[in-house]
Amino acid sequence: MVRLSGRSGARSARRPRGLRTWRAPDRGAVVPERGVPRDPEGQHKGPLGWLRAAVGGRSVAGQVFLLQVVIVLLLVVAAVVALVLQVRYDSTQEARNRSVAVAESFANAPGTREALASPDPTAVLQPRAEAAREATGVDFIVVMNTDGIRYTHPKPDRIGKHFVGNLEPALNGEVVTEQITGTIGPLVQAVVPIEDPDGKVVGLVSAGITTDTVGGTADRQLPLVLAAAAAALALSTAGTALVSRRLLRQTHGLGPDEMTRMYEHHDAVLHAVREGVLIVGDEGRLLLANDEAHRLLDLPEDAEGRRVLDLGLAPDTAELLDSGRMATDEVHLVKDRLLAVNQRPTHLRGRPSGSVATLRDSTELRALSGRAEEARERLDMLYDAGVGIGTSLDVTRTAEELAELAVPRFADYATVDLSDAVLAGGQPEAVTRLRRTACSGIRKDAPLYPVGEEIRFVDTSPQARALNDGRAVVEPRLAQAPGWRAQDLERSAQVVEFGIHSLIAVPLRAGSLVLGVVSFWRSRQAGPFDSDELALAEELVARAAVSIDNARRYTREHSMAVTLQRSLLPRSLPEQNALDIAYRYLPAQAGVGGDWFDVLPLSGARVALVVGDVVGHGLHAAATMGRLRTAVHNFSALDLPPDELLGLLDELVARIDQDEAGDDDSAAVTGATCLYAVYDPVSRRCSVARAGHPPPAVVRPDGTVEFPDVPAGPPLGLGGLPFETAELELAEDSRLVLYTDGLVEDRERDIDEGLELLRDALAGAGRTPEETCQAVLEARLPARPSDDVALLVARTRALGPNRVAEWEVPSDPAAVAQVRADVTGTLESWGLEELSFSTELMLSELVTNAIRYGGEPIRVRMLRDRSLICEVFDSSSTSPHLRYAAMTDEGGRGLFLVAQLAERWGTRYLPAGKVIWAEQPLP
């Protein structure tokens, strides 16, 4: 090694111990031409002289030759060993895969599971197992029961004996493979379960194959590998000989002067580069330091030869140079410089003998790198804003996501103030009065306005200026900002005293709309916000404004849909005495749906119950629900049986679909379901029909729950199939439960499981309808329902015999007088003498019409409910019509008198006739 002079380049050269130098040839010596080998002793003459010198081992060429030969030999050995190991592994893996495939195929083959349940499984399975074994090439296929008793085996004497292997995982439904040594040698066997349709393990199948059966590749490939290795050894030997010959020529062809000039050039380059170079030897001693290393580390003149720990360097730098460990661009602070250190250890004769280190002044590079890192962090934050803001269509949650993202990556505190109109989904008109919607900070005790407080910003505040100008405003020093302090003198003083010293106010703009303002506050970092941070704040808020505006629009649409839906649902239940009713309606979290219910009083003290569901969500579903509910109201006025009413409703839905088929913006109504039930408190019978709707539930007075067998018709709008009515007889104090599928069906369970859970909830509910509704919702309603839920619970009442009077009337006009007398007596017993005249007159006209125009049998019935109901039955299906009689007409005024005296009247058709009824209010 050479010790060089100082910066002037006049240092004397010293040769460290252990290094050789070239000696110049004697005067008169012949220096061979470049490229001609020097051979003063003649030992390299002849065609094999260079080869003897190369294999002697004392030259680099000889060492390279021997090393190459050794490497090739090692590669050959490694290849052979790897081949054998790989073949063994492949054989085992192939055996494992084949045994598993054969066992699974046989276990899942048609008839295998059924054969296990046969009287003699061996007779069925043994021929199949042997045929499969011969076809697949495995050594055995064994079928056994869950106790491990064999049903099949290649050796029949082993049938009926216990199988040897691990069966526990297979009994739990898993596939087991294991490598064992059996009577036929090393083998791999697999055990798979045979499961019935319910997933229960009813038997096991094991298939096994010896590794010798799938092996043998190594024996065939080993001669080829050895031949290839021999060829590679021969080629490498020849190549190494050529390289050694060339290396001998190149080394011996250089004279001392040329070697000296090469060294001098190396020395000049070493001291000319603008990068420090250090060479550290054994025991951490500095062997070489070029001029740039002296300048960067401020080394003393006598640094070479001393330990690096004694040169007065910074502890971390000295430790790195002394350790000799590898380092790549490791930054160290040396006085006012940031040095990037790269270090690699050096080796001599296979032993670590020091290290070489380079030093580069990276102060400016560090500054640029810091700015690049800052830019990268800002890009990351903008990316996170794009994916992390607006994950929900909730205005408040979106504002909170913006504030949480900005703290602490961009600001120490962030607040979002929005107009109340924006929170409600509307368009803001004046945004000087805002409400604090979100606030996030590194501490919870900051004296900023709390969330929920209404704020009116003064015109001089940065927030008001940002709102009025539509551009971001930066207030670098809040303590010196009178316009900001004028907002709230007391609170502003608390904010400054708390340590918040800088502010950026950015308006939340979505197109031409200004939704609010976002404020970023700084306290922990000493410097104020700068122009680059202002641009970043504008970009961040611009991205968040799109999400907030989307949430606002969704809120508006959702509010409109909810308002429409609420307006279409019944606001109160009608007054009636037949049923004690309670209901619940809960909209889905995802949006407004089309579920509805209704309670419709009918003639004869009867009550109709309706529950329906329009598939889908949104305004269209709510509007469709309103149309169907209106149609049910109108059809129910006709007093039709449930199946006929659903038929008319089905035709209506089909017509609606046809009308909207050509409109791309309208969706079909197909998918709507409905259940219609009519309860008669006199007979305690309930007629029910359903169109694709879940069946009703009936809770008997003793608490038992059942789901009556009501025929399930197709959903409304499909057509093609008639609807059927089921007649249920309900004891008094029974509870009829109607509901929509959102209560019993979701993504996690099917409707059958949901009905069983509903049965359990109804069995444990209280006796009143309100208690039943509460118990069912507590047991069945999920935390965030994905579908609307409508629940209607009706407890039955009965109209007792003391409130019902009925007479058979002969088809004789003279019988009308007896009817009037019976009616008068009944009204006196009920305490309704005031209604005797009008009731006698109405029934006289109705009975006379039934005798004259109807047919036998004729019956009269009076009901005392919320009103006095008079009914006349006859077998004719012809309904009388109200008309105005002329002055000269002798008749035609009967129904006119009935209409004048009754509060309501009408006709109800029966399977065998009709009923003309009239109602009078009770006094």
Side-chain angles (χ1 to χ4, degrees), residues 476-487:
R477 295 176 178 83
L478 294 178
Q480 304 173 11
W484 171 76
R485 297 174 68 91
Q487 173 68 35

Side-chain angles (χ1 to χ4, degrees), residues 830-848:
W830 287 350
L832 300 176
E833 295 87 351
E834 299 179 13
L835 301 178
S836 296
F837 175 77
S838 58
T839 304
E840 287 181 10
L841 184 58
M842 286 190 300
L843 285 177
S844 296
E845 294 295 333
L846 294 178
V847 171
T848 301

Side-chain angles (χ1 to χ4, degrees), residues 829-886:
S829 65
W830 287 350
L832 300 176
E833 295 87 351
E834 299 179 13
L835 301 178
S836 296
F837 175 77
S838 58
T839 304
E840 287 181 10
L841 184 58
M842 286 190 300
L843 285 177
S844 296
E845 294 295 333
L846 294 178
V847 171
T848 301
N849 281 340
I851 294 173
R852 180 175 300 177
Y853 304 108
E856 293 183 336
I858 301 173
R859 296 191 308 276
V860 175
R861 188 173 71 172
M862 280 200 315
L863 306 176
R864 181 168 61 89
D865 192 40
R866 302 183 66 88
S867 60
L868 180 63
I869 304 171
C870 299
E871 298 177 338
V872 177
F873 300 78
D874 67 74
S875 60
S876 173
S877 59
T878 302
S879 175
H881 298 283
L882 178 66
R883 63 186 181 89
Y884 294 91

Side-chain angles (χ1 to χ4, degrees), residues 240-488:
T240 303
L242 294 176
V243 171
S244 301
R245 182 176 181 180
R246 185 176 181 85
L247 184 59
L248 285 173
R249 287 181 178 181
Q250 290 179 351
T251 304
H252 290 187
L254 293 176
D257 295 337
E258 293 165 325
M259 294 292 293
T260 302
R261 281 197 302 271
M262 181 181 295
Y263 182 80
E264 290 174 350
H265 293 164
H266 171 269
D267 181 67
V269 172
L270 182 64
H271 289 282
V273 296
R274 299 298 297 172
E275 189 171 277
V277 178
L278 296 173
I279 300 178
V280 180
D282 293 336
E283 299 179 355
R285 295 187 180 276
L286 181 63
L287 300 181
L288 174 65
N290 68 347
D291 293 346
E292 186 67 9
H294 273 271
R295 185 181 70 83
L296 295 177
L297 296 177
D298 196 16
L299 297 175
E301 293 293 334
D302 59 346
E304 284 82 355
R306 296 172 56 182
R307 291 176 57 86
V308 293
L309 297 176
D310 301 332
L311 298 179
L313 302 176
D316 57 340
T317 306
E319 185 275 330
L320 172 62
L321 297 175
D322 182 66
S323 66
R325 61 179 173 85
M326 183 180 294
T328 301
D329 288 336
E330 191 171 308
V331 180
H332 290 260
L333 179 63
V334 178
K335 295 184 178 180
D336 58 345
R337 297 187 180 95
L338 287 174
L339 301 183
V341 182
N342 289 274
Q343 183 169 272
R344 295 293 184 273
T346 60
H347 300 271
L348 181 63
R349 296 187 181 92
R351 300 190 307 274
S353 60
S355 61
V356 177
T358 60
L359 312 173
R360 185 175 68 254
D361 191 352
S362 62
T363 304
E364 296 182 359
L365 182 62
R366 183 69 174 182
L368 292 175
S369 177
R371 288 195 290 271
E373 179 68 19
E374 184 178 353
R376 186 189 65 81
E377 291 179 356
R378 292 180 178 180
L379 288 176
D380 289 344
M381 185 168 64
L382 291 177
Y383 172 78
D384 293 341
V387 300
I389 298 177
T391 58
S392 66
L393 291 174
D394 183 78
V395 176
T396 301
R397 180 55 194 155
T398 305
E400 293 173 350
E401 290 172 346
L402 170 59
E404 293 169 358
L405 177 71
V407 178
R409 300 171 65 177
F410 177 70
D412 298 320
Y413 299 91
T415 58
V416 181
D417 306 316
L418 300 176
S419 169
D420 286 336
V422 174
L423 296 174
Q427 294 186 1
E429 297 180 357
V431 292
T432 55
R433 188 182 297 275
L434 305 176
R435 188 171 301 278
R436 178 135 298 173
T437 308
C439 180
S440 180
I442 57 176
R443 293 176 56 181
K444 301 298 184 182
D445 56 345
L448 301 172
Y449 287 115
V451 174
E453 183 166 342
E454 188 179 49
I455 307 171
R456 181 179 180 86
F457 292 106
V458 299
D459 294 337
T460 59
S461 65
Q463 290 86 351
R465 285 185 285 150
L467 292 172
N468 294 331
D469 298 340
R471 293 180 296 179
V473 175
V474 59
E475 198 67 66
R477 295 176 178 83
L478 294 178
Q480 304 173 11
W484 171 76
R485 297 174 68 91
Q487 173 68 35
D488 188 337

Side-chain angles (χ1 to χ4, degrees), residues 36-337:
V36 179
R38 296 172 63 251
D39 193 6
E41 300 179 359
Q43 61 180 357
H44 295 166
K45 293 180 180 179
L48 298 179
W50 59 272
L51 184 58
R52 290 193 298 270
V55 300
R58 290 174 294 179
S59 63
V60 175
Q63 295 178 4
V64 170
F65 180 84
L66 295 176
L67 180 61
Q68 187 77 5
V69 173
V70 172
I71 290 175
V72 172
L73 290 175
L74 292 177
L75 289 176
V76 171
V77 175
V80 174
V81 174
L83 176 63
V84 173
L85 295 178
Q86 181 64 35
V87 169
R88 289 183 179 178
Y89 173 80
D90 291 344
S91 300
T92 303
Q93 192 65 25
E94 173 66 16
R96 188 185 307 272
N97 294 339
R98 189 184 300 180
S99 61
V100 171
V102 171
E104 288 184 340
S105 300
F106 195 88
N108 297 321
T112 300
R113 186 175 65 250
E114 291 77 4
L116 291 177
S118 65
D120 190 0
T122 299
V124 179
L125 296 176
Q126 177 69 7
R128 298 183 184 178
E130 287 304 298
R133 180 180 65 84
E134 294 176 1
T136 57
V138 297
D139 291 297
F140 65 86
I141 297 178
V142 176
V143 183
M144 66 200 83
N145 60 13
T146 55
D147 295 328
I149 303 301
R150 299 187 183 103
Y151 289 146
T152 67
H153 196 276
K155 297 180 179 181
D157 58 338
R158 298 189 181 181
I159 296 176
K161 298 181 180 180
H162 281 277
F163 177 79
V164 179
N166 184 14
L167 302 180
E168 188 63 26
L171 293 175
N172 294 329
E174 300 176 1
V175 177
V176 184
T177 59
E178 54 185 344
Q179 188 173 356
I180 64 174
T181 300
T183 57
I184 58 175
L187 57 87
V188 175
Q189 66 181 14
V191 182
V192 299
I194 302 175
E195 299 178 347
D196 60 13
D198 296 332
K200 180 181 178 181
V201 177
V202 298
L204 303 173
V205 176
S206 175
I209 185 172
T210 59
T211 55
D212 292 339
T213 303
V214 295
T217 305
D219 296 337
R220 296 190 297 268
Q221 295 182 352
L222 186 58
L224 180 61
V225 172
L226 294 178
L233 181 60
L235 292 175
S236 63
T237 303
T240 303
L242 294 176
V243 171
S244 301
R245 182 176 181 180
R246 185 176 181 85
L247 184 59
L248 285 173
R249 287 181 178 181
Q250 290 179 351
T251 304
H252 290 187
L254 293 176
D257 295 337
E258 293 165 325
M259 294 292 293
T260 302
R261 281 197 302 271
M262 181 181 295
Y263 182 80
E264 290 174 350
H265 293 164
H266 171 269
D267 181 67
V269 172
L270 182 64
H271 289 282
V273 296
R274 299 298 297 172
E275 189 171 277
V277 178
L278 296 173
I279 300 178
V280 180
D282 293 336
E283 299 179 355
R285 295 187 180 276
L286 181 63
L287 300 181
L288 174 65
N290 68 347
D291 293 346
E292 186 67 9
H294 273 271
R295 185 181 70 83
L296 295 177
L297 296 177
D298 196 16
L299 297 175
E301 293 293 334
D302 59 346
E304 284 82 355
R306 296 172 56 182
R307 291 176 57 86
V308 293
L309 297 176
D310 301 332
L311 298 179
L313 302 176
D316 57 340
T317 306
E319 185 275 330
L320 172 62
L321 297 175
D322 182 66
S323 66
R325 61 179 173 85
M326 183 180 294
T328 301
D329 288 336
E330 191 171 308
V331 180
H332 290 260
L333 179 63
V334 178
K335 295 184 178 180
D336 58 345
R337 297 187 180 95

Side-chain angles (χ1 to χ4, degrees), residues 508-801:
L508 263 167
R509 299 186 57 182
S512 60
L513 293 179
V514 180
L515 308 178
V517 64
V518 182
S519 302
F520 301 100
W521 313 78
R522 173 170 288 176
S523 64
R524 186 169 50 185
Q525 187 173 340
F529 287 112
D530 55 23
S531 58
D532 292 340
E533 292 168 325
L534 179 63
L536 176 61
E538 290 178 326
E539 179 68 19
L540 182 63
V541 173
R543 298 195 179 198
V546 176
S547 299
I548 292 178
D549 187 52
N550 289 339
R552 177 190 67 84
R553 293 172 182 268
Y554 173 79
T555 302
R556 180 186 61 189
E557 298 294 334
H558 184 72
S559 299
M560 292 173 57
V562 169
T563 302
L564 174 62
Q565 184 191 44
R566 295 296 185 186
S567 66
L568 296 176
L569 289 173
R571 300 186 180 182
S572 60
L573 297 181
E575 295 181 354
Q576 46 81 33
N577 291 336
L579 298 169
D580 182 13
I581 298 177
Y583 67 92
R584 294 290 187 276
Y585 183 85
L586 299 174
Q589 294 291 332
V592 175
D595 293 14
W596 93 92
F597 65 92
D598 223 330
V599 179
L600 306 172
L602 302 178
S603 63
R606 297 169 305 130
V607 177
L609 303 177
V610 190
V611 174
D613 182 9
V614 177
V615 176
H617 295 86
L619 284 174
H620 181 78
T624 302
M625 175 267 289
R627 299 167 74 176
L628 296 182
R629 179 170 177 258
T630 302
V632 171
H633 266 269
N634 294 333
F635 292 150
S636 66
L638 301 176
D639 254 334
L640 299 174
D643 56 338
E644 296 184 18
L645 185 141
L646 290 182
L648 294 176
L649 197 63
D650 180 64
E651 294 178 4
L652 173 65
V653 172
R655 288 198 299 270
I656 293 175
D657 286 345
Q658 292 176 0
D659 295 339
E660 296 182 348
D663 190 354
D664 296 336
D665 297 332
S666 299
V669 188
T670 302
T673 65
C674 182
L675 186 147
Y676 188 82
V678 177
Y679 175 71
D680 187 351
V682 178
S683 63
R684 293 182 290 103
R685 298 187 66 84
C686 182
S687 303
V688 184
R690 61 188 178 116
H693 203 82
V698 176
V699 184
R700 300 295 181 183
D702 58 359
T704 58
V705 181
E706 63 181 22
F707 293 95
D709 185 14
V710 179
L716 298 176
L718 294 182
L721 293 176
F723 299 97
E724 299 182 49
T725 298
E727 296 289 339
L728 309 178
E729 185 171 353
L730 302 178
E732 187 176 6
D733 204 25
S734 298
R735 280 166 288 168
L736 182 65
V737 181
L738 309 181
Y739 52 90
T740 55
D741 59 357
L743 187 67
V744 295
E745 189 175 11
D746 55 31
R747 297 177 180 177
E748 298 179 358
R749 58 179 62 90
D750 58 15
I751 189 170
D752 293 333
E753 185 178 357
L755 291 177
E756 290 302 319
L757 294 175
L758 177 61
R759 183 195 301 272
D760 296 339
L762 291 173
R767 299 189 61 83
T768 67
E770 282 292 336
E771 293 174 346
T772 303
C773 287
Q774 188 66 26
V776 169
L777 292 185
E778 289 178 355
R780 293 292 303 121
L781 189 66
R784 292 182 60 85
S786 59
D787 194 7
D788 293 6
V789 173
L791 176 63
L792 190 65
V793 179
R795 185 171 61 183
T796 60
R797 298 171 180 168
L799 203 62

